[in-house]
Amino acid sequence: MKGVEKVNICPCGGVGLVLSSVARHATYLLTEELLPGKTEIVDSVGLYSGSAEEVALIEDYPTIVIDGCAHHCGTNLFRVLGIKPAARIFLPPIAKMPPSYVCECRKDEIKLSPGTNRRVLKETGKNLATEVATQAANIALDMINSDYKYEKQKINISTTPLCDYIEDVTNGMNYIFVNEKVEQPESMPKISNKD
Amino acid sequence: MVDHVCIVPSGGIKSIDSTVTRIASYIVNEELLPKKSMILCFPAYMRGVEEDLVMVEDYPSILMDCQEETATKIFYITGIIPAARIYLPEIIKHHKLSPGSKRSELDEQGNELARMLAKEVSRVALSMLENPNYHYKKQQLKPKALRNDNIPEDPFNYIKLSPGIYRPDNMPSFLLKEDDF
């Protein structure tokens, strides 16, 4: 079986909250340590400013979006661009769950929490980032190694206003759970329930 | 006279330079100009989060641009003119510094550059904050099309004030404070 060649990861790109630093750190972990060469970072401001390279990435390969906070800015970016991510990881609930990347005997001692330092994450923030990167790696590997079929998309930005707050921004995506930490739009190819 | 400035890091994630601008924003906001500065979050701004919209409409913005000039481009497509722009590649050259080699957590070189960039941002900010004759006229968002096909080169006709420090030609002028570094 052969799925996709590579998978994009698109963190929210925020700067104010520690959660955005966690999303960014998870992205670096995934692309530099867990799955180098098989995953690619997508830059949200590059997309907003019209970078042709970033546009080509999200049109040609499936993207995992990381939403750091309740504004769901990663999901909003895809709404504005008129395409759908392959999967979405929403950080806040994960901070209340046990880690999946350690054995059962250590689950109680590993705390997942963003912490309070947005410049350099403390240990619990790095733990949370590791959990997010692990989840992203699992579903990326599923897309690469299974018969996951990604149909190329074209961005469609002609009518979407910028800087216009939409209350329920995730509604249009119709997210369904792949597992308790990962969601995917209902209309996108099914991802295996990896955890 | 203005009582706050809006600090705008490049917002990128791929280059080390973008990490440098983000860390510099935190240094300005937390250490150099606490209570006088706010940090703009680009994704929240494009999402339409009200506090981020108010920040750029009501207060002078100081952009930090990397090579790709994404901060300038995003301001252009949303119809807001910055009060000043700091261009990191020129700051690096002028001060003979380096961003280092680690984007996830800046190394010693990267942190030294971030601190220097923060001092330059603070110098520009204080040139506005401490000048009773600096008047900022509130602006209103006028978002344009998303694609950059029509973004002109140098859309704000930047005037160079000092190495790496610019002001759009139609924004209020200010006398740049002497550096003390």
Side-chain angles (χ1 to χ4, degrees):
Chain A
M1 288 191 288
K2 181 79 172 73
V4 294
E5 185 186 334
K6 63 180 174 183
V7 175
N8 300 320
I9 180 95
C10 182
C12 65
V15 65
L17 301 179
V18 185
L19 281 163
S20 61
S21 295
V22 172
R24 196 176 291 106
H25 196 80
T27 298
Y28 294 139
L29 271 179
L30 176 70
T31 56
E32 293 173 2
E33 295 178 27
L34 299 182
L35 293 176
K38 293 180 176 175
T39 49
E40 189 95 36
I41 298 175
V42 171
D43 187 332
S44 61
V45 291
L47 281 168
Y48 276 125
S49 59
S51 160
E53 292 83 9
E54 303 300 316
V55 170
L57 273 178
I58 61 160
E59 287 183 337
D60 293 350
Y61 300 98
T63 302
I64 301 166
V65 162
I66 305 178
D67 277 332
C69 75
H71 289 310
H72 306 286
C73 294
T75 292
N76 183 64
L77 169 62
F78 276 67
R79 178 189 70 85
V80 169
L81 295 170
I83 66 173
K84 292 197 170 160
R88 188 279 282 257
I89 299 176
F90 182 44
L91 290 194
I94 296 177
K96 295 178 179 172
M97 296 178 193
S100 64
Y101 63 92
V102 291
C103 62
E104 283 296 328
C105 62
R106 293 194 62 214
K107 283 189 192 294
D108 285 343
E109 68 185 70
I110 303 292
K111 192 178 174 203
L112 309 182
S113 165
T116 55
N117 194 333
R118 57 187 179 177
R119 287 195 211 180
V120 180
L121 294 177
K122 300 292 186 197
E123 186 182 353
T124 61
K126 288 182 178 173
N127 292 344
L128 180 55
T130 302
E131 177 62 24
V132 171
T134 303
Q135 293 293 329
N138 285 344
I139 52 176
L141 283 172
D142 182 73
M143 293 178 202
I144 292 166
N145 295 329
S146 74
D147 59 355
Y148 181 88
K149 293 279 184 281
Y150 175 75
E151 202 167 299
K152 290 185 180 183
Q153 303 181 79
K154 276 279 168 203
I155 65 168
N156 176 16
I157 54 176
S158 55
T159 57
T160 311
L162 299 172
C163 308
D164 184 23
Y165 199 85
I166 307 293
E167 280 297 332
D168 297 313
V169 72
T170 58
N171 271 2
M173 295 295 175
N174 294 321
Y175 285 131
I176 55 171
F177 281 99
V178 174
N179 61 44
E180 64 178 356
K181 293 170 181 167
V182 180
E183 296 161 271
Q184 69 161 93
E186 195 170 18
S187 61
M188 292 297 282
K190 184 95 175 86
I191 301 167
S192 298
N193 185 8
K194 300 264 182 178
D195 197 1
Chain B
M1 192 162 180
V2 293
D3 54 11
H4 285 80
V5 293
C6 175
I7 307 298
V8 187
S10 75
I13 182 172
K14 290 188 173 180
S15 72
I16 304 173
D17 284 6
S18 62
T19 305
V20 168
T21 69
R22 186 168 52 83
I23 299 300
S25 301
Y26 298 146
I27 294 170
V28 174
N29 184 241
E30 295 167 4
E31 297 175 30
L32 303 180
L33 295 173
K35 298 179 184 175
K36 295 274 184 192
S37 62
M38 302 164 286
I39 301 177
L40 181 74
C41 177
F42 265 140
Y45 174 59
M46 301 305 270
R47 168 87 169 89
V49 174
E50 191 172 6
E51 66 186 67
D52 290 274
L53 304 185
V54 168
M55 251 183 240
V56 300
E57 288 184 331
D58 291 4
Y59 299 95
S61 297
I62 302 170
L63 308 188
M64 282 178 262
D65 264 334
C66 300
Q67 189 76 42
E68 297 76 16
E69 303 183 84
T70 49
T72 288
K73 287 175 183 171
I74 288 186
F75 265 55
Y76 176 75
I77 64 174
T78 53
I80 294 284
I81 306 174
R85 187 277 286 259
I86 300 185
Y87 187 50
L88 182 57
E90 284 183 20
I91 297 292
I92 291 172
K93 194 173 172 189
H94 179 67
H95 292 286
K96 299 183 174 60
L97 293 172
S98 159
S101 57
K102 199 154 179 265
R103 60 185 178 179
S104 57
E105 279 178 30
L106 294 179
D107 57 21
E108 196 175 327
Q109 284 182 310
N111 276 313
E112 187 184 358
L113 175 61
R115 194 153 287 278
M116 177 56 73
L117 177 61
K119 285 180 182 174
E120 292 283 26
V121 172
S122 181
R123 178 158 76 112
V124 171
L126 287 171
S127 303
M128 298 168 190
L129 292 164
E130 294 181 350
N131 179 356
N133 297 317
Y134 183 82
H135 295 291
Y136 174 77
K137 191 178 172 190
K138 290 183 181 181
Q139 302 181 62
Q140 186 134 29
L141 282 166
K142 293 182 280 291
K144 300 179 175 68
L146 193 57
R147 296 300 295 269
N148 72 347
D149 310 41
N150 300 315
I151 297 180
E153 200 171 313
D154 191 10
F156 297 124
N157 296 316
Y158 285 128
I159 298 167
K160 191 169 192 168
L161 307 178
S162 173
I165 300 178
Y166 295 82
R167 168 178 70 77
D169 70 347
N170 61 350
M171 287 299 279
S173 61
F174 54 88
L175 186 62
L176 192 60
K177 288 173 74 76
E178 290 293 316
D179 67 56
D180 56 2
F181 37 87

